[in-house]
């Protein structure tokens, strides 16, 4: 895996800006080679292996992003950005080599930050985010995420409140396949349609005075 990130600060005539960009590369693979046998009551062994007991997987991941933090006023800043991801998955199994699967995503984001006072900071954001399962299972789900909240900080404590709402396409769900093995139904993770989730988060953090030994 390789990652690269760089930031550039620039002061324009009207607004201050900080530009960041970076890349991420990852290669990984998995090999499974297993023999399975079932011992009969008479002591004979019967081969029960299946095609999925022997396979090879490889995944190539490449991503790049750019974002710009713009200081609109002394208290208000805006950070727009975009991230591009490309994932290529290749599979080899007993029947042969499957057609490579390629997933591409363009994920924009926009964040607003307002410092209402020395102690109070207001936040709001909207972004598109993919959620990737195990790379040998299925396609990722994708969601639009909306967040808003605030931080109230003093010298000794910080209170954080955050509300969120996500519209998800391709929700992950464990479902039965109708196949039974040793008295148990085989369960698989599948994309099971669209959904949404929302909630409210609260957090409190305490800062203790540094310990000075006497």
């Amino acid at each position: 895996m390789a990652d690269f990130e760089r930031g550039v600060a620039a002061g324009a005539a009207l607004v201050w800006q900080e530009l960041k960009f970076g890349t991420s590369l990852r290669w990984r693979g998995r090999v499974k080679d297993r023999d399975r046998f079932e011992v009969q009551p008479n002591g004979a062994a019967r081969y029960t292996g299946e095609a999925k007991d022997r396979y090879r997987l490889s995944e190539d991941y490449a991503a790049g992003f750019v974002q710009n933090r713009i200081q609109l006023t002394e208290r208000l800043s805006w950070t727009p950005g975009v991230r591009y991801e490309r994932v290529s998955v290749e599979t080899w199994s007993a029947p042969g080599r499957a057609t490579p699967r390629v997933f591409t995503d363009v994920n924009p984001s926009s964040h607003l930050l307002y410092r209402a006072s020395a102690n109070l900071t207001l936040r709001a954001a909207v972004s598109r985010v993919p959620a990737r399962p195990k790379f040998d299972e299925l396609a990722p789900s994708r969601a639009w995420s909306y967040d808003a909240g605030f931080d109230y900080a003093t010298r000794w404590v910080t209170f954080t409140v955050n509300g969120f709402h996500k519209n998800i396409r391709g929700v992950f769900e464990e479902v039965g396949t109708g196949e039974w093995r040793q008295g148990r139904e085989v369960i698989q993770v599948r994309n099971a349609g669209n959904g949404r989730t929302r909630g409210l988060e609260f957090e409190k953090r305490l800062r203790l005075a540094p310990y000075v030994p006497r």
Side-chain angles (χ1 to χ4, degrees):
M1 185 194 315
D3 295 279
F4 169 78
E5 180 176 331
R6 186 170 184 179
V8 178
L14 298 178
V15 294
W16 180 91
Q17 303 180 58
E18 182 183 37
L19 181 66
K20 287 186 177 181
F21 57 91
T23 61
S24 178
L25 303 174
R26 181 178 69 226
W27 302 271
R28 60 179 178 175
R30 178 181 297 172
V31 177
K32 185 177 182 180
D33 190 356
R34 181 175 66 175
D35 289 318
R36 291 192 297 171
F37 295 89
E38 182 181 275
V39 179
Q40 305 294 324
N42 61 4
R46 183 174 67 90
Y47 180 73
T48 58
E50 301 177 8
K52 64 181 180 181
D53 292 327
R54 284 186 169 84
Y55 66 81
R56 287 185 296 152
L57 294 172
S58 69
E59 179 191 76
D60 298 335
Y61 171 89
F65 82 93
V66 60
Q67 68 177 33
N68 189 20
R69 183 161 67 95
I70 305 170
Q71 198 70 35
L72 300 174
T73 69
E74 185 178 351
R75 296 177 180 268
L76 178 64
S77 64
W78 174 44
T79 305
V82 63
R83 181 180 180 89
Y84 172 81
E85 296 184 358
R86 183 184 187 276
V87 181
S88 175
V89 180
E90 295 192 40
T91 308
W92 296 264
S93 61
R97 179 175 180 269
T99 303
R101 295 181 299 166
V102 178
F103 307 103
T104 58
D105 288 286
V106 178
N107 304 308
S109 63
S110 179
H111 301 261
L112 283 174
L113 185 70
Y114 181 72
R115 302 192 182 279
S117 67
N119 301 107
L120 181 62
T121 301
L122 308 179
R123 296 172 284 100
V126 58
S127 59
R128 184 179 187 268
V129 292
R132 303 191 183 281
K134 295 179 181 179
F135 76 98
D136 58 343
E137 287 184 343
L138 71 173
S141 69
R142 297 167 176 86
W144 279 101
S145 178
Y146 306 88
D147 297 84
F150 67 87
D151 301 316
Y152 184 82
T154 67
R155 182 179 179 183
W156 303 113
V157 64
T158 298
F159 295 98
T160 298
V161 177
N162 185 68
F164 64 88
H165 176 93
K166 297 179 187 292
N167 291 325
I168 308 170
R169 180 165 59 89
V171 177
F172 301 145
E173 187 177 61
E174 291 187 348
V175 296
T177 62
E179 179 183 355
W180 292 79
R181 295 180 187 171
Q182 298 179 349
R184 290 186 175 183
E185 187 178 15
V186 177
I187 303 298
Q188 288 186 348
V189 179
R190 296 178 179 173
N191 290 123
N194 302 329
R196 64 186 181 188
T197 181
R198 63 184 62 168
L200 194 60
E201 301 170 323
F202 301 89
E203 182 181 359
K204 182 176 71 174
R205 286 171 288 172
L206 299 175
R207 285 181 288 278
L208 302 178
Y211 173 71
V212 179
R214 297 182 180 178

